[in-house]
Amino acid sequence: MAIIGNIIKGVIHLSNSISSEIDHVKNQKEVLNHLLNSAKNTEFGLHYKFSNILLANQPYKLFKSSIPFFNYEKIHVEWWHKLHEGEKNITWPEHPDYFALSSGTTGKTSKRIPVTEEMIEAIKNAGIKQVLAMKNYDLPGDFFEKEIMMLGSSTNLEKQNDHIEGEISGISASRIPFWFRGFYKPGEEISRIDDWDERVQKIAENAKKWDIGALSGIPSWMELMMEKVIAYHNVDNIHDIWPSLRVYTTGGVAFGPYEKSFKRLTGKPVEIIDTYLASEGFIALQTRPETDAMQLLTDNGIFFEFVPFQPEYINQDGSLKPDSPCIAIEDVELGVDYVLIVSTVSGAWRYTIGDTVQFSDVKRAEIKITGRTKFFLNTVGSQLSVNKMDDAMKALEDQFGIDISEYTICAKRAEDEEFYHFWYLGASDTSLNAAEVANALDESLKEANKNYKVARSKALNGVKVKLIDSEVFYDWNARNKKKGGQVKMERVMNEEKFKEWEDFVQNH
């Protein structure tokens, strides 16, 4: 009998049974009040008169009319750069102990996003909420005694004068509570290895020593790790090494493009639980198996706002135009794409993290990530978001019986001076007729998106496809020193970046 596991499971059920239904609107009003109160005497709070906002009859109305939208470049130039000069009380009280490095998918140089102690506590609280949500899943008692493989960035963080730097997954893993360390794999020693390939090699060598019940990490790197373990031990699938594996906690990107290849690697069914942890904070997590949508964490140090995702509100670089309409959670609607705006206990204010979301259940505050503002392809009016592209990849997988785990696209003129969409697909079978695949992709997008269909009848002349090995995508990220961790592939590239990409592929 897994006595300890059943005790934990019982506590989880008890914790959930005594909790009342969540009032997300009330939560958000309280979070906004807390943020304003906490930061009212900072330079930012004094500049934007937070004390006046707190006294207003409609605080949110004055809040959004007083404070502009910020992206990383704007808030760094105007405010956060002072933190790197040793100043404190800038956008949040005192000075942050950590900075999360986040080059993401769109920048060559790392962003440095402040991470305060209050944010670290909020991330821990989100982790606890995730464990408590397990009561909604049909898991045996002994699952809660199994080990968890957390595949993130290196926990070998870098000391910089008065703070510590690293990716958010590395920061979080370095601060795991003592009682959890016995469950945490690959363990502190291996997790500190900076080199991705060396770290995965060590995981493969030690894999049989561990009884893994859950995996956690970005899908592309998790798949590479599993492939390495499977090959090292010469087995058919990962369950031959970790027979207790029952849960995979994914995040960072949509899981859809990886679903087929992931199932092939696991060999047996695994519960897929989605999470939304960004460098700016733990935003949402999946709380029930009936849906793959995630519930916004409305009581955990982040205030959310939403701008309808329309081309007229978005600048070319993905930032928001200053006069874009913005609403709070009480006014959102089902089925509308919104640009997500956050204000946080790390001192981010009305900050665009670059993601677009859609509500699938307003009362439960459940969302799905639908794309990136910078990855929105609107050249010649095609209006393609990442979720539409992901759906098209699934259709191709079904039609041609292949796996497509990675892809990238650029809209540009060809030699005939006409506009085309140029696609590179990381396919499990690269011998297929590329012209046939291009035609099927074109038809799928026409059927799914009326704006694309209109564009194809006018300025967009067609689709060109090249099929390449998925490994090329991973090597591209490695070349840019972005292998492993929170790294995601660019789904949409501008022409300058695409030229670099094509040169890389040609010389690979």
Side-chain angles (χ1 to χ4, degrees):
M1 287 291 290
I3 298 173
I4 296 174
N6 281 310
I7 290 172
I8 295 172
K9 187 175 181 180
V11 170
I12 289 171
H13 277 272
L14 178 62
S15 299
N16 280 266
S17 66
I18 61 177
S19 63
S20 57
E21 192 171 305
I22 300 170
D23 186 336
H24 294 287
V25 173
K26 179 172 176 285
N27 283 350
Q28 283 287 273
K29 288 178 178 177
E30 290 175 355
V31 167
L32 178 59
N33 185 268
H34 171 70
L35 293 172
L36 293 170
N37 253 315
S38 298
K40 64 185 177 185
N41 294 320
T42 63
E43 283 191 31
F44 192 94
L46 292 170
H47 180 82
Y48 288 108
K49 299 180 173 59
F50 280 10
S51 294
N52 290 350
I53 298 173
L54 285 161
L55 294 172
N57 288 329
Q58 297 181 332
Y60 174 58
K61 186 176 181 180
L62 184 56
F63 174 76
K64 69 177 180 177
S65 65
S66 302
I67 304 166
F69 298 122
F70 286 92
N71 59 11
Y72 175 78
E73 288 73 21
K74 179 177 171 63
I75 201 168
H76 177 75
V77 167
E78 295 182 17
W79 298 96
W80 283 351
H81 75 91
K82 299 178 183 181
L83 297 171
H84 296 288
E85 295 162 8
E87 296 186 41
K88 57 175 66 173
N89 299 317
I90 304 302
T91 61
W92 195 254
E94 298 303 321
H95 190 280
D97 291 331
Y98 297 89
F99 281 84
L101 301 180
S102 173
S103 56
T105 49
T106 52
K108 288 186 178 179
T109 58
S110 288
K111 301 173 184 176
R112 286 171 165 78
I113 297 166
V115 180
T116 61
E117 279 296 323
E118 194 164 349
M119 177 56 76
I120 288 173
E121 194 61 30
I123 292 172
K124 283 183 185 176
N125 289 339
I128 292 170
K129 290 175 187 285
Q130 189 172 8
V131 173
L132 294 178
M134 291 293 182
K135 77 103 177 174
N136 297 321
Y137 294 82
D138 185 22
L139 297 169
D142 66 356
F143 169 78
F144 298 95
E145 292 186 330
K146 305 302 179 185
E147 293 159 330
I148 300 175
M149 170 65 68
M150 297 172 64
L151 193 67
S153 306
S154 169
T155 59
N156 188 22
L157 308 176
E158 197 169 321
K159 185 84 167 90
Q160 294 283 350
N161 298 323
D162 55 358
H163 66 269
I164 298 170
E165 294 183 349
E167 287 191 15
I168 192 66
S169 59
I171 292 171
S172 301
S174 74
R175 293 291 301 269
I176 60 172
F178 73 91
W179 56 266
F180 181 68
R181 287 174 189 166
F183 296 92
Y184 166 57
K185 297 299 177 219
E188 295 178 61
E189 184 178 340
I190 295 176
S191 295
R192 289 178 62 82
I193 299 173
D194 285 321
D195 182 85
W196 160 263
D197 294 310
E198 184 183 344
R199 196 175 347 139
V200 172
Q201 177 65 26
K202 289 292 185 184
I203 289 171
E205 291 170 4
N206 288 275
K208 281 195 171 181
K209 300 176 185 176
W210 304 324
D211 189 9
I212 302 295
L215 303 173
S216 178
I218 283 181
S220 54
W221 306 113
M222 188 62 69
E223 288 194 355
L224 283 179
M225 182 275 291
M226 289 195 291
E227 286 173 357
K228 181 71 174 179
V229 172
I230 290 167
Y232 183 86
H233 294 281
N234 194 26
V235 295
D236 293 331
N237 58 63
I238 203 67
H239 267 100
D240 290 336
I241 302 296
W242 297 325
S244 301
L245 178 63
R246 291 180 176 271
V247 170
Y248 169 47
T249 301
T250 181
V253 294
F255 181 69
Y258 304 94
E259 188 173 1
K260 283 186 71 176
S261 52
F262 194 88
K263 284 181 177 178
R264 175 175 49 79
L265 290 169
T266 57
K268 294 181 182 178
V270 171
E271 288 279 7
I272 308 298
I273 302 178
D274 217 345
T275 62
Y276 189 177
L277 172 62
S279 298
E280 293 79 9
F282 208 134
I283 291 168
L285 56 87
Q286 185 180 338
T287 61
R288 55 197 185 100
E290 309 93 88
T291 176
D292 58 357
M294 298 171 286
Q295 186 173 87
L296 284 173
L297 295 168
T298 55
D299 62 348
N300 201 41
I302 302 177
F303 179 73
F304 301 104
E305 298 176 85
F306 309 89
V307 172
F309 186 41
Q310 299 294 338
E312 59 265 32
Y313 304 143
I314 312 295
N315 293 313
Q316 191 67 33
D317 65 356
S319 63
L320 286 171
K321 294 182 178 177
D323 57 351
S324 301
C326 194
I327 57 175
I329 198 167
E330 56 263 38
D331 295 317
V332 298
E333 298 177 9
L334 282 176
V336 176
D337 280 347
Y338 293 105
V339 179
L340 184 64
I341 316 294
V342 298
S343 299
T344 77
V345 291
S346 277
W349 296 99
R350 307 204 75 211
Y351 182 99
T352 58
I353 62 177
D355 289 331
T356 61
V357 301
Q358 189 178 108
F359 280 81
S360 58
D361 190 315
V362 170
K363 187 177 180 182
R364 287 190 171 100
E366 288 181 340
I367 60 161
K368 293 184 179 183
I369 302 172
T370 54
R372 299 278 292 168
T373 55
K374 286 188 178 182
F375 293 175
F376 179 56
L377 191 63
N378 195 34
T379 308
V380 297
S382 51
Q383 293 193 25
L384 278 182
S385 57
V386 171
N387 61 323
K388 295 293 185 188
M389 299 180 205
D390 286 348
D391 289 345
M393 294 303 103
K394 285 185 182 178
L396 291 182
E397 287 183 326
D398 292 341
Q399 183 172 343
F400 292 96
I402 57 174
D403 297 346
I404 303 172
S405 56
E406 298 291 349
Y407 65 87
T408 195
I409 176 177
C410 178
K412 66 186 184 79
R413 294 185 189 276
E415 292 178 358
D416 60 5
E417 292 301 312
E418 297 288 347
F419 263 107
Y420 291 83
H421 282 175
F422 289 80
W423 292 76
Y424 278 78
L425 309 183
S428 57
D429 183 356
T430 58
S431 66
L432 293 171
N433 185 302
E436 288 184 20
V437 176
N439 183 63
L441 174 58
D442 191 32
E443 292 302 318
S444 176
L445 290 170
K446 283 179 187 175
E447 189 175 329
N449 189 323
K450 64 180 181 181
N451 292 308
Y452 177 85
K453 188 174 183 178
V454 171
R456 280 289 287 112
S457 67
K458 295 180 179 177
L460 183 61
N461 207 45
V463 170
K464 294 180 182 291
V465 165
K466 289 191 177 180
L467 302 167
I468 61 175
D469 195 288
S470 294
E471 195 71 31
V472 180
F473 290 87
Y474 306 135
D475 290 343
W476 164 263
N477 284 332
R479 186 202 72 157
N480 292 308
K481 297 181 180 178
K482 293 162 60 177
K483 198 170 185 181
Q486 299 296 108
V487 178
K488 295 155 273 188
M489 181 66 196
E490 303 103 313
R491 292 307 192 203
V492 176
M493 293 185 183
N494 60 30
E495 289 191 48
E496 182 183 357
K497 192 67 171 287
F498 198 68
K499 175 67 166 61
E500 286 183 43
W501 162 255
E502 292 203 296
D503 289 344
F504 178 82
V505 174
Q506 186 174 352
N507 295 317
H508 190 272

